[in-house]
Amino acid sequence: MKKNNINNILIAMLCVSVFIIYLILPPRDKVAQIGYSFNNLKYYLGGQDNTEAYKFYRNNAVYLAKMNRCKDAIKEMDKSIASVPENVADHIIDGLYKDRAEIEIFQNDYRNALNDFLRASNLGINDYLKVAMLLKENGKYKTAVSYCNKIIDIDIKAYAGYACLADIYANLGKYEAAVAIFDLLIDRSAKGRYYADRAIYKQMLGDRDGYNSDMDKAKELSPVLDIGSSITYDVIHPKKLMLQLY
């Protein structure tokens, strides 16, 4: 009896040790790893419906990207786009191009990400911001400005459009123009985020007093504001892939 108990304890300890090693070893995102395995099992046991193949490959790509296997993820996205049936609506194909672009951004492949976004015809404000920042990264400042303006054309009050313009002008060393853009935005609506952004550009100008004044105002208006965040930086430097599964 005692010998059996000891054996059971040793087996349990071995199982726990193996599980811990499994959790520690790459890839760290075990949920994605399990999801990837289940996705493949379900597809191959389900008879491989060719009309749904693009969804299967696309979901595989999402799992692989979350497992930091971005090159393999791109290959799956290529298969997904290639397997889209002819009768599928254009917005589905647009969505796949944008999904591939998101994975390319996640692996800092800005050139291909830009090309994929430009292939898609159905872009919104957040997409325009990404395109503008990708154009900036590729040194195409004039075209980048035009995409910032597209955001403002959609919504004249859109913070993203003004932040986009200010970022590009500051990148060109035109800090006065960046400050002036936030002057205009603050005149329309005084928000903590706007003061914090303007403070950064004033600091770039060497205006230390202006920086301190704007930061104090930002904290007064928005006490819990994340001063270190930046919409223009974060949009192409995501900490995690936010793509959802089909």
Side-chain angles (χ1 to χ4, degrees), residues 165-219:
L165 286 172
D167 181 277
I168 292 170
Y169 284 126
N171 200 260
L172 292 168
K174 299 179 179 180
Y175 306 123
E176 296 92 344
V179 170
I181 288 168
F182 276 97
D183 289 343
L184 177 62
L185 199 54
I186 288 169
D187 285 342
R188 291 179 176 175
S189 176
K191 294 184 179 180
R193 177 79 268 167
Y194 304 166
Y195 279 101
D197 286 355
R198 189 174 70 175
I200 298 299
Y201 296 124
K202 284 185 176 180
Q203 185 180 46
M204 292 177 179
L205 270 173
D207 181 2
R208 188 67 188 177
D209 290 339
Y211 168 82
N212 289 331
S213 176
D214 274 356
M215 277 301 181
D216 288 342
K217 188 66 176 177
K219 292 172 184 176

Side-chain angles (χ1 to χ4, degrees), residues 135-136 139-149 165 168 172:
L135 285 163
K136 184 193 76 172
K140 299 178 180 179
Y141 299 105
K142 185 176 181 180
T143 311
V145 166
S146 71
Y147 275 88
C148 298
N149 287 327
L165 286 172
I168 292 170
L172 292 168

